[in-house]
Amino acid sequence: MALTVSSRSVRLAVLAGAGVLAATAVYAVTDHADASEGQAPPAAAATTDHRTTAPATTPTGSTGPAAPSATPSAAQAPPAVAEKAAPATTPAARATGAAGEKALAATRVTARQLPDRTAQKWKELAPPSTRQPGPEFQLNECVTVRGATGWQQQGFISAHKTPAVQDSLGFPDAASARAAYRAVLAGMKDCEATSRALQKRYGLAADARVRQTATAGEAAAWSRTWTAVQGLSAPGPQANHIYAVRRGSVLVLLHFDEWDSAAPRSYDPKGDADVLAGLTR
């Protein structure tokens, strides 16, 4: 399923390329015309070689400035160009190194294991997709992971049409996965400052707040609340919940969003310790 969208379109569902895109019309990307049309973002704000993890449509009523379109690398397409994502018929690519497909599959969670499942009523979008990652994997505006040799992704949708995504990244060995986990820690440590700087760049109030909500060995969880800039995130007030766990030579990343325009926030991050326990088993 190939979709062509303009640079003003919000972050689309990259989930396993077009395979999960084709699974539901919920994430069909539209050419979103809002109050920010015609306002060109600063050239310095453009990001390169990034890959998003969560599907996003524009929450109703959001009128935040448009974020820059990304310049793709030779290995990875930007989230605004769906036709360059892997087609639904692409065979699953085999992970190399110590983390093969079985190691990636062993980390998979189900909809019943996701946080806030009673309120969100999570459902899987499609079977998980295994494919080769590019040289860089961008989790959000704050975290970039490099050096992965395998990648399995699973997308979920809530009753509020909000996304959750699990990405399991395989590495050649445990030391490489540990280094990637530490890169996540470093990126999230600076995420509040990174998010506020991005907000200021686009004329929004710098209201981003990021806090670590749980830790357990090589596992950590964070909550970010902010008025998001359109691009890697859907625009508007929201809460992002981020989880990272190293399991041997695999880095497990889980992310879900609560958009204020979709429903009142219902998740209490006090439950994040239990979420990490489930991801480490």
Side-chain angles (χ1 to χ4, degrees):
M1 174 180 175
L3 298 175
T4 302
V5 296
S6 76
S7 61
R8 290 188 298 105
S9 296
V10 297
R11 182 182 61 165
L12 70 98
V14 177
L15 297 172
V20 178
L21 276 177
T24 175
V26 171
Y27 293 124
V29 178
T30 59
D31 187 14
H32 177 64
D34 58 24
S36 65
E37 184 170 359
Q39 298 180 11
T47 57
T48 60
D49 191 24
H50 73 275
R51 215 266 329 157
T52 60
T53 63
T57 56
T58 305
T60 304
S62 295
T63 58
S69 59
T71 302
S73 70
Q76 299 219 272
V81 188
E83 70 270 22
K84 292 186 180 180
T89 56
T90 298
R94 186 169 299 279
T96 60
E101 289 183 32
K102 289 184 179 180
L104 296 176
T107 66
R108 181 189 170 201
V109 299
T110 66
R112 295 178 63 85
Q113 295 173 279
L114 293 181
D116 201 24
R117 62 182 180 274
T118 300
Q120 302 294 338
K121 298 179 176 59
W122 297 108
K123 293 183 179 180
E124 295 181 3
L125 283 174
S129 173
T130 303
R131 55 205 288 248
Q132 287 298 123
E136 292 189 350
F137 176 97
Q138 190 157 348
L139 175 65
N140 55 25
E141 293 84 356
C142 306
V143 173
T144 299
V145 177
R146 298 175 176 86
T149 55
W151 171 24
Q152 184 175 90
Q153 188 177 71
Q154 176 70 63
F156 305 87
I157 184 173
S158 77
H160 308 302
K161 304 298 184 289
T162 53
V165 182
Q166 180 192 5
D167 290 286
S168 294
L169 299 175
F171 292 83
D173 49 46
S176 300
R178 182 176 293 112
Y181 172 73
R182 289 173 178 169
V184 175
L185 294 181
M188 290 307 300
K189 180 180 179 180
D190 297 332
C191 192
E192 183 170 294
T194 300
S195 301
R196 289 188 176 192
L198 187 61
Q199 289 177 310
K200 290 178 181 178
R201 190 177 298 161
Y202 290 97
L204 300 175
D207 62 2
R209 293 185 179 276
V210 178
R211 63 189 180 96
Q212 192 169 67
T213 55
T215 59
E218 290 184 293
W222 299 266
S223 174
R224 174 175 64 172
T225 58
W226 67 320
T227 302
V229 173
Q230 177 177 308
L232 285 173
S233 296
Q238 61 191 270
N240 310 135
H241 304 280
I242 302 105
Y243 308 85
V245 173
R246 184 189 73 87
R247 290 178 56 175
S249 57
V250 178
L251 176 64
V252 182
L253 301 171
L254 178 65
H255 180 286
F256 82 94
D257 298 327
E258 294 180 286
W259 298 331
D260 290 9
S261 61
R265 300 177 194 176
S266 58
Y267 181 62
D268 185 349
K270 291 180 180 178
D272 280 351
D274 291 336
V275 177
L276 290 182
L279 291 174
T280 56
R281 284 196 288 268

